[in-house]
Amino acid sequence: MHLDALAANYRTVVAELGAVPAAGVVKADGYGLGAVPVAKTLWSEGCRRFFVARIDEGIVLRAALPTAEINVFDGLLPGTAGDMVAHDLVPVINSLEQLQAWQRLAIAADRELPTGLHIDTGMRRLGLPPDECDQLADRPDLLTGLGVRHVISHLASADVSASPQSGRQLALFCELRRRFPFGAASLANSAGVFLGSAYHFDFARPGISLYGGSPYPDSGRPNPMRSVVTAEAPIIQVRWAGPGETVGYGATHTVASDARIATVPVGYADGFLRSSSNVGLAAIAGRLVPIVGRVSMDLITIDVTALEDHHLYPGAPVELLGRHRPVDDVAERAGTVPHEFLTHLGNRFERRYLTEPS
Ligand SMILES: *Cc1c(COP(=O)(O)O)cnc(C)c1O
């Protein structure tokens, strides 16, 4: 992984935001890439606010970043309050029930506890639903003893350029913000940042764009983000296959004319999704070659007939993700989003963190 590219992507997002800061979303172990090295890199770029999904992720991050604001999207789940306080984490409160439990703790501890407030503007996943927003607006005492750091909501369709949902959520968030004018306001994920300044509020919450995914995947516009992850594996063997012969489980690929098939030690157990079978691509020496046959647990097979002999030796590096294999394209070919592809990359990949420009 290229930490310089991560830092450059952070700067690209911040430049798009103008004067508005960006929090770093480092849930799921930094989208599978390592939350601690990712967050430390973002910290060195000036990022001071982070979001994780689970409290355990927050505890790990706290050990690495003693003074950062670390927020937990899951909110205050039963049994987590003690750890939340002990590790100075901020629960992003998702219901009045969570709010009251957190407030009871603040009163018992006789100190103001930092609080995030998630309000639902249409995602219907997390956050205070409309009726609880109404109740909270009528009962400002529910926040007594709590230091509200921010009020956030989440866009459901920011990456669908034609969707009218983002505009509706924006209007509702503006209205709710007037009723809850506490702390900083935040609405935008990566795609939201690029919807324009109306979506920026007081800070943004980019995730996938920092890791190299396009913030406007369906628009046909070139991705302004740099590739952050390179995933490589060596060729194990190269064999000829003749016309009519088939490759791999289920014989899903039939060789048309004499072909050279290289076998590479990466499979779905490494997160190279099986849905890449017969549609994925790899790159050797910067040239694209098709994945033929099924992706199996530990291996893929690629058709390297077009390449010269000197590229095809055991140990020759095959790029699966990287400059020639952008994560958006790799994910799309597998029928998914870059978020899923990155978080699936398995432990059998040896992780290296490089700081040189890529
Ligand atoms: C994951 C997440 C983000 C980041 O989304 P990206 O699409 O990766 O930029 C922001 N906010 C919330 C609430 C999230 O769950």
Side-chain angles (χ1 to χ4, degrees):
M1 145 156 207
H2 307 282
L3 295 173
D4 284 24
L6 173 77
N9 289 344
Y10 182 76
R11 291 194 293 269
T12 299
V13 170
V14 167
E16 182 69 23
L17 287 166
V20 171
V25 178
V26 296
K27 60 195 181 187
D29 196 24
Y31 288 42
L33 303 180
V36 168
V38 165
K40 282 185 162 175
T41 301
L42 298 178
W43 175 272
S44 70
E45 291 297 316
C47 183
R48 293 294 174 263
R49 176 175 266 154
F50 296 86
F51 286 84
V52 295
R54 309 272 183 264
I55 187 167
D56 291 1
E57 297 172 344
I59 292 170
V60 170
L61 200 58
R62 171 57 71 216
L65 292 178
T67 60
E69 183 194 276
I70 301 175
N71 301 278
V72 180
F73 279 136
D74 278 353
L76 191 71
L77 299 182
T80 63
D83 277 341
M84 205 66 86
V85 174
H87 298 276
D88 190 21
L89 305 174
V90 185
V92 184
I93 295 292
N94 288 302
S95 68
L96 289 184
E97 194 182 335
Q98 288 184 4
L99 188 65
Q100 283 168 301
W102 193 231
Q103 189 187 38
R104 277 195 298 277
L105 204 75
I107 291 166
D110 193 25
R111 57 179 272 219
E112 189 179 273
L113 290 179
T115 307
L117 206 55
H118 191 158
I119 54 182
D120 185 8
T121 54
M123 180 78 171
R124 301 290 178 266
R125 187 180 69 169
L126 283 177
L128 269 68
D131 61 313
E132 295 200 357
C133 287
D134 289 345
Q135 289 178 55
L136 182 59
D138 291 343
R139 298 249 341 251
D141 58 291
L142 290 174
L143 294 170
T144 309
L146 300 177
V148 180
R149 297 282 183 85
H150 45 77
V151 177
I152 75 163
S153 193
H154 192 45
L155 296 167
S157 305
D159 57 347
V160 185
S161 48
S163 173
Q165 189 178 14
S166 300
R168 285 200 300 267
Q169 287 191 265
L170 174 63
L172 186 52
F173 187 64
C174 288
E175 189 187 315
L176 288 167
R177 179 65 181 154
R178 281 193 288 275
R179 295 167 81 187
F180 307 118
F182 325 110
S186 174
L187 181 61
N189 58 354
S190 295
V193 169
F194 290 80
L195 288 179
S197 60
Y199 289 82
H200 293 170
F201 294 91
D202 298 319
F203 69 92
R205 306 185 310 274
I208 193 63
S209 54
L210 305 178
Y211 308 103
S214 174
Y216 21 72
D218 78 339
S219 71
R221 293 164 69 191
N223 181 1
M225 300 299 154
R226 278 174 56 186
S227 167
V228 168
V229 189
T230 301
E232 283 182 351
I235 290 177
I236 297 181
Q237 67 162 39
V238 183
R239 295 286 183 270
W240 282 102
E245 293 181 353
T246 64
V247 180
Y249 283 124
T252 61
H253 174 75
T254 304
V255 172
S257 53
D258 285 342
R260 292 184 99 178
I261 307 295
T263 303
V264 180
V266 166
Y268 58 75
D270 302 294
F272 204 84
L273 301 180
R274 191 167 176 272
S275 48
S276 306
S277 301
N278 288 310
V279 290
L281 297 174
I284 296 177
R287 285 169 47 199
L288 298 178
V289 284
I291 292 169
V292 292
R294 288 256 168 84
V295 172
S296 48
M297 185 183 292
D298 307 311
L299 299 166
I300 56 172
T301 35
I302 54 183
D303 185 330
V304 293
T305 316
L307 298 185
E308 299 79 14
D309 283 353
H310 67 270
H311 294 305
L312 304 176
Y313 54 94
V318 179
E319 180 189 319
L320 303 157
L321 271 178
R323 234 157 25 101
H324 305 98
R325 298 302 309 121
V327 65
D328 285 282
D329 186 57
V330 174
E332 191 183 335
R333 285 173 179 275
T336 186
V337 289
H339 311 59
E340 185 179 26
F341 213 96
L342 290 181
T343 53
H344 274 66
L345 293 177
N347 295 329
R348 293 197 298 195
F349 283 110
E350 182 203 340
R351 310 281 166 137
R352 272 188 247 146
Y353 297 94
L354 310 175
T355 52
E356 305 85 54
S358 55

